[in-house]
Amino acid sequence: MPAATVSGPSPDFLSHFDVMDDPRQTAKIVYPLNEIFLLVVCAVISGAQDWVSIALYGRKKLDLLRRFLPFEDATPSHDQLGILFSRLDMDQFQRCFVNWVADLHGPLEGVVAIDGKTLRRSFDTGSNKAAIHMVSAWACEQKLVLGQRKVADKSNEITAIPELLELLTIKGAIVTIDAMGCHRKICQQIMDQEADYVIGLKGNQGRLREDVELFFDEHSERGIGESFIKQSQTVDAGHGRIETRSYTVCSDTGWLEERHHWPGLKAVVMVQSKREIKGDVKTVRQFYIASLNREPEEMATFIRNHWQIENNLHWVMDVTFRQDECRIRTGDAAANFATIKHAAVNLLRRDPGKMSIPQKRHSAAWDDDYMYKIITQ
């Protein structure tokens, strides 16, 4: 059957992947990489979860796909898709993704939240392969996934975070990480990349956390450091719950610098959360270090915004994209498929409509004109 005439331009985002190396033998390439990338992104947006359903989407939506690219030989089988994505260079694929997103957002402002997530069903018992863990960066102001990095086997987030940061242009941003990222080298790298940090503080830094906690205890009990302290408080109530959060910021960090020589340290923060439910009261304290000294209200915003990566990315991946149910796991296919899903999230979030992500996915699956709009915007 002759190919239909292509009536529209090739989507702009595909051009950022033109530099990808094709792992297939040149003489055996039937389906160009850009056509395959377009097929997989459109299928994932429409709800496809595996190579079989993606291949089926290609057969059913060939006329739509040909509005963008020729697809002279139609679309590949599920086996061809699985083999290709298992062999694609994962690092190169992620760099192409980062370069695409960088063109979308321009200079970053506000919080860039970094956090890790395990793809729970990416394990392979037969080959004794553990589930992979991905570290992602989320731009809170722009509502975009900035990039991702697979944690190397027998490693952890401490090695993956610097590799992810190195991919990103974060000048002017405020990088937030939980306590796993509380390391001198990571803080120094953030400063070297002309950004600031607000990072959780737990026992992994030993005496640093103990000293910060002791200071706030002495301030609370005896008013020590009062001239360097600023505080604010928020109260949320609803559904029988009352939650009070107190934010205390101390800008006197000279004594910590002398003891710990922490790069760029300008302030320490304590967040005390008191939650009351039906008369049961629980109080939790959390501590942070920061390379900038701002009013407590601003610090509270930075800390709260960090959790966008949980609510707007990890939750969406789990609930809407069913990432934890995905059994794609051969070679680097799981990491590459995660990158495809992040691309789908970014494309959907760029649409200015008021529909939710699930509603946009349904609309794109049912309405070819809406899918065309999503892909070409």
Side-chain angles (χ1 to χ4, degrees), residues 134-182:
M134 301 285 289
V135 176
S136 303
W138 172 260
C140 296
E141 295 286 339
Q142 292 81 6
K143 300 291 190 295
L144 290 171
V145 189
L146 297 179
Q148 59 289 117
R149 188 76 177 177
K150 177 187 172 185
V151 175
D153 296 339
K154 299 181 181 180
S155 184
N156 55 38
E157 291 184 16
I158 298 171
T159 58
I161 290 172
E163 293 171 351
L164 176 57
L165 286 171
E166 190 173 344
L167 292 176
L168 304 176
T169 302
I170 56 173
K171 181 179 179 180
I174 299 159
V175 178
T176 60
I177 317 174
D178 65 17
M180 177 61 76
C182 189

Side-chain angles (χ1 to χ4, degrees), residues 83-148:
I83 292 170
L84 172 62
F85 274 85
S86 70
R87 295 177 179 175
L88 275 179
D89 187 317
M90 171 185 63
D91 294 337
Q92 188 182 35
F93 198 41
Q94 290 168 357
R95 286 195 298 272
C96 291
F97 175 93
V98 168
N99 291 336
W100 165 54
V101 180
D103 276 358
L104 294 181
H105 63 67
L108 285 174
E109 295 180 356
V111 169
V112 171
I114 294 180
D115 193 38
K117 183 184 185 302
T118 299
L119 309 187
R120 299 192 182 281
R121 299 200 69 188
S122 60
F123 65 88
D124 188 352
T125 305
S127 61
N128 198 30
K129 177 184 176 183
I132 71 170
H133 192 78
M134 301 285 289
V135 176
S136 303
W138 172 260
C140 296
E141 295 286 339
Q142 292 81 6
K143 300 291 190 295
L144 290 171
V145 189
L146 297 179
Q148 59 289 117

Side-chain angles (χ1 to χ4, degrees), residues 290-310:
S291 65
L292 70 174
N293 177 30
R294 299 285 180 83
E295 294 298 315
E297 293 80 4
E298 289 184 273
M299 288 294 197
T301 299
F302 302 151
I303 292 168
R304 286 197 303 267
N305 279 353
H306 175 79
W307 298 108
Q308 278 195 33
I309 195 169
E310 289 284 351

Side-chain angles (χ1 to χ4, degrees), residues 136-239:
S136 303
W138 172 260
C140 296
E141 295 286 339
Q142 292 81 6
K143 300 291 190 295
L144 290 171
V145 189
L146 297 179
Q148 59 289 117
R149 188 76 177 177
K150 177 187 172 185
V151 175
D153 296 339
K154 299 181 181 180
S155 184
N156 55 38
E157 291 184 16
I158 298 171
T159 58
I161 290 172
E163 293 171 351
L164 176 57
L165 286 171
E166 190 173 344
L167 292 176
L168 304 176
T169 302
I170 56 173
K171 181 179 179 180
I174 299 159
V175 178
T176 60
I177 317 174
D178 65 17
M180 177 61 76
C182 189
H183 288 265
R184 287 180 177 84
K185 288 184 179 179
I186 291 176
C187 290
Q188 185 62 61
Q189 181 176 350
I190 292 170
M191 300 293 294
D192 290 344
Q193 292 184 231
E194 300 183 68
D196 283 297
Y197 63 78
V198 178
I199 296 182
L201 185 58
K202 288 187 179 178
N204 60 333
Q205 283 299 329
R207 293 294 305 176
L208 177 60
R209 187 194 187 284
E210 292 176 11
D211 286 346
V212 171
E213 185 173 8
L214 178 62
F215 169 80
F216 281 115
D217 285 342
E218 291 183 342
H219 164 71
S220 177
E221 294 170 7
R222 297 188 287 164
I224 290 177
E226 189 67 37
S227 61
F228 302 101
I229 292 289
K230 293 183 179 181
Q231 294 178 302
S232 70
Q233 188 176 89
T234 62
V235 179
D236 296 318
H239 305 287

